[in-house]
Amino acid sequence: MRISIEWLQDWLQIDETPQDLGHRLTMAGLELDAIEPAAPAFHGVRVGRVLTVEPHPDADRLRVCQVEAGENEPLNIVCGAPNVYAGMVAPVAVVGAELPGEFRIKRSKLRGVASEGMLCSARELGLAEDAEGLLDLPADLEPGADLRTAMGLDDHVLDVDLTPNRADCLGMRGIARECSALLDRPLHAGDIAAVTPELDRRVQVQVEDEQACPVYSARVLEGLDAGATTPLWMSERLRRAGVRPISAIVDVTNYVMLELGQPLHAFDADRCGDTIRVRRGGEGETLTLLGGEQTVKLSPADLVIADAEQPLALAGIMGGASSAVDAETTRVVLECAHFAPRALAGRAREHGLHTDASHRFERGVDPTLVPQAMERASALLVSICGGACGPVVTAGEIPSVQREGAITLRATRIQRLLGVALEAGVVERILRALDCVVESGDEGEWRVFAPRARFDLEREEDLIEELARVHGYDRLPRTLPRPVAPVPPDSGLKALREGLTRRGFHEVISFSFIDREVSRGFYPEVEPLALANPIASDMSVMRPGLWPGLVTTAAWNTARQQNDLRLFEHGLRFVPDASGLRQEPRLAGLMTGRAVPEHWEGEARELDFFDASGEVEMLCTGLDAPLRLRAERHPALHDGQSARVLAGEDPIGWVGRLHPALAERFDLGAVFLFDLDARAVCHDPVPQFRPLSAYPSIRRDLALVVAEEVPAGDLLAAIEALDLPLLREVRLFDVYRGKGLNPGEKSLALGLILQAFERTLDESDVAGVTDAVVAQLESRFNATLRH
């Protein structure tokens, strides 16, 4: 959007330099791309009035003119422009003037006739790329006045890049409203008066797709002079906005579009019927666009403006050549409508087009602008081209200026998001400056009705963003965020994954869908959730656990001679229960093959249950409660090599050897599995300092005879339950069965590590601990010391 500061002054006072205004707009989200002067540098050019025009005595194409330019005597100037005439007001560069391109004006003789200056065209002043003759200035300009001052050429143009949500700023009035809010200055919007109809001529309007075109207005104007000259002030504003002046009728529609942001179009009334239809394009229909150089094929996706017989225009994009106004036009049908953005989205690009109208309609135009733009354009056309207008015919209903739904805005929410408490007066001033209607509610709350021009204001956060923009992002306090938890989410899982990978494991990701029979083999006590529409017969139920996927992967790899495998997976299991479907994150692993790689020094040991339980211990180092393994049966595990994993007394998983029946089913050897609750193990405990003792530790070993069925873990738990302050660690370092023991007995050798922080232990301290341990185990498990 190109913004002329001189044009902007019609709406509000601008005291800032172009650079300061551009910076303020950029800080408010309307990014400044460039600042350009309205005209290139030149000086010594005045307003001149041609008094007389005489033929050159020695050149047919030259004229000798007497020009009033503020001097004591008229200037004698030789001119070759074909449009010069007596009484014409045009720019005159006097002797000593410098034009763009460092072209200096000197006294000269042209074919023997002295010339004391030069009458200028718009091209010679750098105001146009081409020109057919002299620049015809308004007759009321004072001869001798400086041209830059008379035409306001010391203006600057700001080229602003708008984001798609700010379609309201695609018109000068929208930009002026934005500047009024940013600069806290009153906006002189002015009322647009309705033009009194003097004719009874009208067209019928039929809208067949009201969703795509909620409002359509049309008006007939007659007696127009299509050859009328566009006023200099209008053509200059168009030029500074980047629009080339074409003809008075077209220039008026473009001017109103740039002024208000509402596109319009004028049809030659003699080239279209008395009925205007807004409908969808038909298959096989074509439309030749303005200029006659491009013909587009229409489809039902295109919205078109048509008469009773043929399409006249691509709605909201471009008019057709068959109904275009030209130099012979005296009657027009002026169209002004609101088209829904979704109806036009992508249609211009589909036909290789991009127009000012499509650019606006695709982003959203305020529907309440339709009657204002119609009256503004009608008044300008009548004042410039003459003629009279008929009544406005409108299909659809013009909505209210404000949107119906109120947005609740809370002062507490403002402070929370912006970090600063804005005064109630500031909040209300900013919102009202943006054309919002603000009603006070409870203390610290407002009910805000957004204007229809602001399609992007839908919720409380949108209003707070507006407050921040207008108040100034640079005025918000700079505060550092308060620190949160030092451990990022999933850091524990990441550490476990990295640890397993370092120990030779490979992560796999398997489907959450498995075969029903496979599920029954691993989890016979669980009725899995069946899929209503499975993608395959062997993927018919949701997995109750991760082991089937790991075992299937191991079977696939061992069938390809990959026998040494360590696999793990993190994922969800799905268990139906009375409350619905439980989805629990699990961390499961599989181990099979050799414990260490093959080596020439000796025969490699095969993996066993203790290797798997050792991996579980590594994974559970961060538990909040002591880790325990308790012998317990699982239908998918070997009866003699199966254990429940406990954190204190809470079960968190399983470890063991795959059941022989399942191993045979999948053609596998010895396979060891573990499955843990990821919520229990996948977290990084915050490191805590533990002091070191300056005094030596003492070790005492005990050999205890217990019944074969007594788990060693139960003995260790019983010792831990004593909570002896001097006992730092208990180690199980030997299990013996054989000579010297009765059948059904075993010997467990325990190492007790004792240490104090304040003194060196003596024999009485050691005896007290060992006696307490032996007494506890004798009473709990009928254990006896082995001699």
Side-chain angles (χ1 to χ4, degrees):
M1 181 68 183
R2 293 174 60 84
I3 305 168
S4 163
I5 295 181
E6 180 267 337
W7 194 354
L8 194 59
Q9 296 270 17
D10 286 358
W11 305 85
L12 79 162
Q13 180 180 349
I14 301 294
D15 299 325
E16 287 71 18
T17 65
Q19 292 74 18
D20 289 342
L21 181 60
H23 175 74
R24 191 69 182 91
L25 290 172
T26 297
M27 293 301 295
L30 281 64
E31 184 178 357
L32 178 69
D33 282 346
I35 301 176
E36 303 171 2
F42 61 80
H43 65 83
V45 181
R46 304 176 185 174
V47 176
R49 184 186 304 275
V50 180
L51 301 178
T52 62
V53 178
E54 301 291 339
H56 191 286
D58 196 25
D60 293 339
R61 295 187 178 182
L62 297 179
R63 302 288 186 272
V64 179
C65 306
Q66 295 294 309
V67 181
E68 182 184 359
E71 303 287 341
N72 294 329
E73 298 291 336
L75 301 177
N76 193 74
I77 297 177
V78 178
C79 176
N83 68 328
V84 64
Y85 61 92
M88 182 181 192
V89 178
V92 57
V94 299
V95 174
E98 184 173 341
L99 301 184
E102 298 183 357
F103 180 65
R104 288 186 175 273
I105 304 299
K106 302 177 182 179
R107 286 186 174 88
S108 61
K109 282 188 178 182
L110 297 176
R111 291 290 187 97
V113 177
S115 183
E116 300 174 301
M118 184 177 78
L119 292 167
C120 302
S121 67
R123 182 177 62 83
E124 289 163 336
L125 296 175
L127 303 181
E129 294 183 0
D130 52 19
E132 297 179 356
L134 302 180
L135 177 59
D136 202 346
L137 299 175
D140 58 353
L141 294 183
E142 182 68 24
D146 182 75
L147 183 70
R148 298 192 70 91
T149 303
M151 292 184 62
L153 295 180
D154 289 325
D155 183 23
H156 285 80
V157 177
L158 306 184
D159 194 349
V160 174
D161 187 16
L162 299 177
T163 53
N165 66 312
R166 294 308 307 273
D168 62 297
C169 289
L170 286 170
M172 288 299 299
R173 187 162 73 173
I175 289 288
R177 182 185 302 111
E178 183 79 2
C179 292
S180 171
L182 295 175
L183 303 176
D184 192 16
R185 291 187 193 139
L187 180 68
H188 311 299
D191 295 329
I192 298 176
V195 178
T196 303
E198 299 179 9
L199 303 173
D200 195 25
R201 299 296 299 272
R202 65 186 71 199
V203 293
Q204 293 183 354
V205 176
Q206 299 175 1
V207 177
E208 299 178 10
D209 191 339
E210 296 179 355
Q211 294 294 325
C213 179
V215 181
Y216 188 96
S217 292
R219 161 179 266 170
V220 177
L221 292 94
E222 295 184 350
L224 301 178
D225 177 11
T229 301
T230 302
L232 180 63
W233 62 267
M234 180 179 289
S235 60
E236 261 301 291
R237 287 183 172 181
L238 292 175
R239 181 186 68 82
R240 297 177 198 184
V243 177
R244 181 174 63 88
I246 299 174
S247 66
I249 297 176
V250 176
D251 291 348
V252 165
T253 59
N254 285 335
Y255 179 82
V256 174
M257 177 187 68
L258 293 171
E259 182 180 58
L260 301 181
Q262 169 67 52
L264 304 95
H265 186 69
F267 301 100
D268 189 317
D270 293 328
R271 298 182 181 183
C272 58
D274 294 332
T275 301
I276 297 293
R277 298 173 59 200
V278 184
R279 61 171 175 83
R280 291 289 175 177
E283 293 289 352
E285 280 190 315
T286 61
L287 174 66
T288 301
L289 300 176
L290 287 173
E293 298 179 357
Q294 180 178 355
T295 299
V296 297
K297 294 182 179 179
L298 302 177
S299 72
D302 293 310
L303 190 68
V304 299
I305 311 300
D307 60 13
E309 299 178 358
Q310 63 180 350
L312 302 176
L314 271 174
I317 300 175
M318 183 179 285
S322 64
S323 59
V325 297
D326 57 23
E328 305 300 323
T329 299
T330 59
R331 301 171 61 243
V332 299
V333 175
L334 185 62
E335 164 200 273
C336 189
H338 175 72
F339 300 109
R342 287 190 177 184
L344 300 189
R347 300 315 306 160
R349 291 188 297 275
E350 179 70 19
H351 297 296
L353 300 171
H354 180 78
T355 64
D356 289 331
S358 68
H359 184 79
R360 285 162 172 78
F361 280 126
E362 286 182 356
R363 285 155 179 74
V365 177
D366 181 2
T368 65
L369 289 175
V370 170
Q372 301 177 53
M374 175 63 78
E375 299 298 345
R376 176 65 166 152
S378 299
L380 288 172
L381 283 173
V382 171
S383 66
I384 296 171
C385 302
C389 59
V392 177
V393 178
T394 300
E397 184 177 347
I398 305 297
S400 61
V401 175
Q402 310 303 137
R403 284 151 63 182
E404 287 80 7
I407 304 172
T408 299
L409 178 63
R410 298 163 293 174
T412 54
R413 185 66 172 165
I414 296 172
Q415 183 170 7
R416 180 179 178 185
L417 293 185
L418 302 186
V420 62
L422 298 180
E423 296 181 2
V426 173
V427 172
E428 295 177 9
R429 180 197 68 78
I430 292 175
L431 294 177
R432 291 193 175 107
L434 296 173
D435 268 6
C436 294
V437 172
V438 183
E439 297 177 355
S440 298
D442 297 335
E443 184 176 356
E445 287 191 2
W446 299 271
R447 297 176 72 245
V448 181
F449 295 84
R452 291 194 182 274
R454 295 299 303 273
F455 298 94
D456 56 329
L457 301 184
E458 296 181 342
R459 54 181 184 165
E460 185 178 24
E461 287 76 8
D462 297 332
L463 297 178
I464 296 175
E465 179 186 9
E466 293 301 293
L467 295 175
R469 282 194 325 105
V470 178
H471 180 71
Y473 292 119
D474 51 346
R475 297 174 61 189
L476 298 178
R478 297 182 181 181
T479 55
L480 293 175
R482 293 183 179 181
V484 293
V487 181
D490 295 333
S491 63
L493 174 62
K494 180 181 178 181
L496 291 181
R497 280 174 166 155
E498 292 175 350
L500 287 168
T501 302
R502 285 194 295 269
R503 294 194 295 277
F505 281 80
H506 295 275
E507 184 173 9
V508 301
I509 300 175
S510 57
F511 283 108
S512 298
F513 319 130
I514 62 174
D515 183 79
R516 182 182 292 274
E517 293 303 318
V518 172
S519 175
R520 185 175 290 115
F522 281 86
Y523 311 102
E525 74 284 358
V526 178
E527 181 61 33
L529 176 67
L531 298 179
N533 186 24
I535 60 177
S537 59
D538 59 348
M539 294 183 174
S540 58
V541 298
M542 302 294 289
R543 64 185 182 191
L546 275 59
W547 283 346
L550 290 171
V551 172
T552 302
T553 302
W556 193 91
N557 280 274
T558 55
R560 289 157 178 79
Q561 301 181 2
Q562 300 296 318
N563 298 316
D564 297 333
L565 296 173
R566 296 188 178 213
L567 309 175
F568 78 94
E569 181 174 9
H570 175 266
L572 295 175
R573 74 172 182 181
F574 307 89
V575 183
D577 61 12
S579 61
L581 183 68
R582 289 202 325 270
Q583 302 182 51
E584 301 173 346
R586 310 293 293 185
L587 180 65
L590 177 147
M591 304 168 65
T592 185
R594 291 179 290 241
V596 294
E598 187 176 8
H599 197 270
W600 58 268
E601 280 192 332
E603 185 176 354
R605 178 179 65 83
E606 295 293 317
L607 287 165
D608 58 23
F609 173 85
F610 298 104
D611 292 305
S613 62
E615 292 296 337
V616 170
E617 290 181 4
M618 293 289 293
L619 293 171
C620 294
T621 54
L623 289 179
D624 296 329
L627 173 70
R628 294 179 54 209
L629 300 182
R630 183 175 66 200
E632 195 170 324
R633 296 183 61 183
H634 187 286
L637 299 178
H638 194 293
D639 288 348
Q641 300 185 51
S642 170
R644 172 87 77 169
V645 182
L646 305 170
E649 296 300 323
D650 298 325
I652 61 170
W654 291 89
V655 61
R657 179 174 175 174
L658 181 66
H659 196 283
L662 288 173
E664 182 180 358
R665 177 175 178 176
F666 287 92
D667 195 20
L668 292 169
V671 173
F672 296 91
L673 302 167
F674 60 83
D675 176 48
L676 302 171
D677 185 346
R679 294 167 296 188
V681 299
C682 292
H683 72 279
D684 273 346
V686 178
Q688 295 183 354
F689 172 73
R690 178 180 294 177
L692 299 176
S693 176
Y695 299 95
S697 62
I698 297 176
R699 173 168 174 159
R700 287 290 182 269
D701 293 341
L702 300 175
L704 298 162
V705 179
V706 295
E708 180 66 43
E709 64 271 12
V710 175
D714 289 356
L715 271 69
L716 298 177
I719 296 173
E720 184 179 356
L722 289 172
D723 195 20
L724 300 171
L726 297 180
L727 184 60
R728 299 290 174 230
E729 184 181 355
V730 180
R731 300 174 184 172
L732 174 65
F733 64 90
D734 184 52
V735 179
Y736 173 77
R737 299 177 183 85
K739 184 178 180 180
L741 297 178
N742 298 323
E745 291 182 339
K746 63 182 176 181
S747 173
L748 302 178
L750 303 178
L752 308 181
I753 310 298
L754 294 82
Q755 190 178 34
F757 283 92
E758 66 282 354
R759 60 185 174 87
T760 300
L761 300 180
D762 56 24
E763 192 60 33
S764 61
D765 296 320
V766 176
V769 171
T770 55
D771 290 346
V773 169
V774 171
Q776 172 80 335
L777 299 182
E778 284 181 351
S779 62
R780 290 281 302 277
F781 307 104
N782 198 26
T784 59
L785 286 173
R786 180 184 171 199
H787 300 290

